[in-house]
Every structure is written in structure tokens, then in C-alpha cells.
Amino acid sequence: MADLIDKTANYVLDLASPQRLNILFKLLSKDSTPTEIAKELESTKQEVHRNFIRLEESGLIEKKNNGKYSTTTFGETVCTQVPTIVFFSQNRKYFEEHTFIDIPYKFKIRCGQLAVSQHVKGISKVLEQWKTIYKNSREYIYEILSEAPLDLIEPLVKQIKKGIKFQYIFSESTVVPKGRKDLLKKLGFSNLIEKGLIERKMAKNVQTVIVLNEKEACVLFPKNDGESDLTEMFYSDDPMFHEWCLDYFRFCWYGSDEFIESKLKE
């Protein structure tokens, strides 16, 4: 085990260089020579050549018969893990106060998919972006909720009445705002459920909040104490970001129970 840890530490050192990482990702896109890469990076041939040698010795790249270099299978795999480090390093301050505690391991190792995203901060900005996701929907709106902001109900129902499919998961501990029942009745929420436009389920405890349509998504991670936080979120229309959120929603959907309205408290 000690030997394995030493080897892994050496690989980390090999990647601890902006230029070596740049070389690795450029070779991931296309085979190149050190001279070609040096021109692209506006660096000296000698420096780039040294970094090529180091990456080759680590097994991350290899030289082809035509004299050009390409990433190895190992190098390609390492590249898939770098976005995870990027995501956490870019948002290190955020994750000092927030946690992945309720996220299954299989989604934690994929969190590099969240790297291409916008950090939205402030409750008003969060809710406006949330409404925009509703407005832009053409096929569906999926949500995992720990709270039910009253201001979002009318914009949501407006889209559902256009034929947009709505699926959502509430936490058993969800506290709904006063006036919600009357508003839902006024907007004909029950009729939309009967028409099959709305499907709902209930989870024991929801901490991570997800909102998405068919093209864009947002995720809101809980505070370190486990409480949901609607004041900050990550938003993106990047396909990889969307895939992570969609897969997480589906995972939670199939693991949730029957919706019981009487469990909700005002």
C-alpha cells in the first residue's frame, strides 16, 4: 500500500504544473509534436520538451510512429478526473460552508461534470434564475425540493397548463408557506394531477435541491449542518452539468415513496 501511495503522489506531482496539464489536454484533442505545442503555448521548445519527457515517463502520453504524441488510455482517464479538482478548487470557499453529505458516492465521483457552471448567489437572483428555468421549459420540469417558495407556484403552473410535464419530490419535513393550499386550488392544481401532467413523490429527507428542464439545470447543496440553502446555487446549460442533475433526479425519483399531502406542514 505504501508503494502504491508513493506512485500516486508522483503522478499528482506530474500534474502539478499548468503547462503539463495544458499539454495533456491539447494532446487529448489531437496528436501533436513538442514543437507544435510550444508554438500554441507560446513557450520555449526546451521547456515543453522537458515536460513531454516527464509525461511520457509517467505513462500519460506516448510517441507514435509518425513522431507525434498522443495521450495513453491512462492519460485520457486522468483527464476525466481533472474537472472534479477544478470544480472544487474554483468553489473552495463555498464548500467550506456546504456539503455533499447526502449525495451517493457514484455521484460524488462524477461531480467534475458540474465544473462548467455559474455560481449564483443571493436569494432574489436564485429565484429569478429558477423562474427562468420554468419559462424556458418546452418538455418537462423536474424538481427535488426541501421548501416550496410561494412566488414560484404561479409561474410553474402557467407552464404546466401549456402541457409541460412536471415531476417533483418533496421532503417529508418540507414546510410549505401559508396560503399554498388556497393558491393551488385557485390555479386548478388537482385537475392538472388528474390529467397526468403532474406526478409527485416524497422522500424521507431532502437536503440537496435540484431544478431542471430539458436543457438547463441548477443544484443547491445543503449547509454543513444539513439544512438546505436556497440562497446560493450552481446553474448551467452545459450538457454534462445537465446530465448529472438529470441522473441524480432519476435516482432519487425511483428511490422515493408515495406522496402524502398530510405530512406537509405550514
Side-chain angles (χ1 to χ4, degrees), residues 49-165:
H49 182 70
R50 284 197 301 270
N51 282 322
F52 263 76
I53 292 174
R54 185 159 180 175
L55 290 170
E56 186 177 20
E57 289 176 346
S58 297
L60 294 164
I61 66 173
E62 60 185 356
K63 191 174 184 179
K64 298 294 187 179
N65 292 333
N66 60 4
K68 293 191 175 185
Y69 287 80
S70 67
T71 53
T72 61
T73 300
F74 175 48
E76 290 176 8
T77 305
V78 167
C79 286
T80 66
Q81 302 306 309
V82 171
T84 298
I85 301 171
V86 171
F87 176 65
F88 280 106
S89 62
Q90 286 178 335
N91 301 288
R92 186 173 60 180
K93 188 172 181 180
Y94 173 86
F95 283 106
E96 288 176 0
E97 299 177 350
H98 296 79
T99 179
F100 260 42
I101 191 169
D102 66 329
I103 303 293
Y105 178 73
K106 65 181 179 179
F107 287 99
K108 289 179 181 177
I109 62 175
R110 290 175 52 191
C111 66
Q113 290 181 250
L114 304 177
V116 181
S117 61
Q118 175 188 354
H119 181 201
V120 180
K121 190 172 182 179
I123 185 65
S124 59
K125 291 182 180 179
V126 166
L127 294 181
E128 282 305 309
Q129 189 65 63
W130 204 323
K131 289 177 184 177
T132 299
I133 292 176
Y134 289 167
K135 184 179 179 181
N136 293 341
S137 62
R138 295 295 179 268
E139 299 175 20
Y140 64 78
I141 298 169
Y142 296 158
E143 292 184 331
I144 303 175
L145 298 171
S146 60
E147 298 181 41
L150 197 62
D151 291 347
L152 296 176
I153 294 177
E154 286 198 59
L156 172 63
V157 173
K158 181 180 179 180
Q159 289 301 94
I160 299 170
K161 287 182 176 180
K162 293 178 181 178
I164 304 298
K165 183 179 180 181

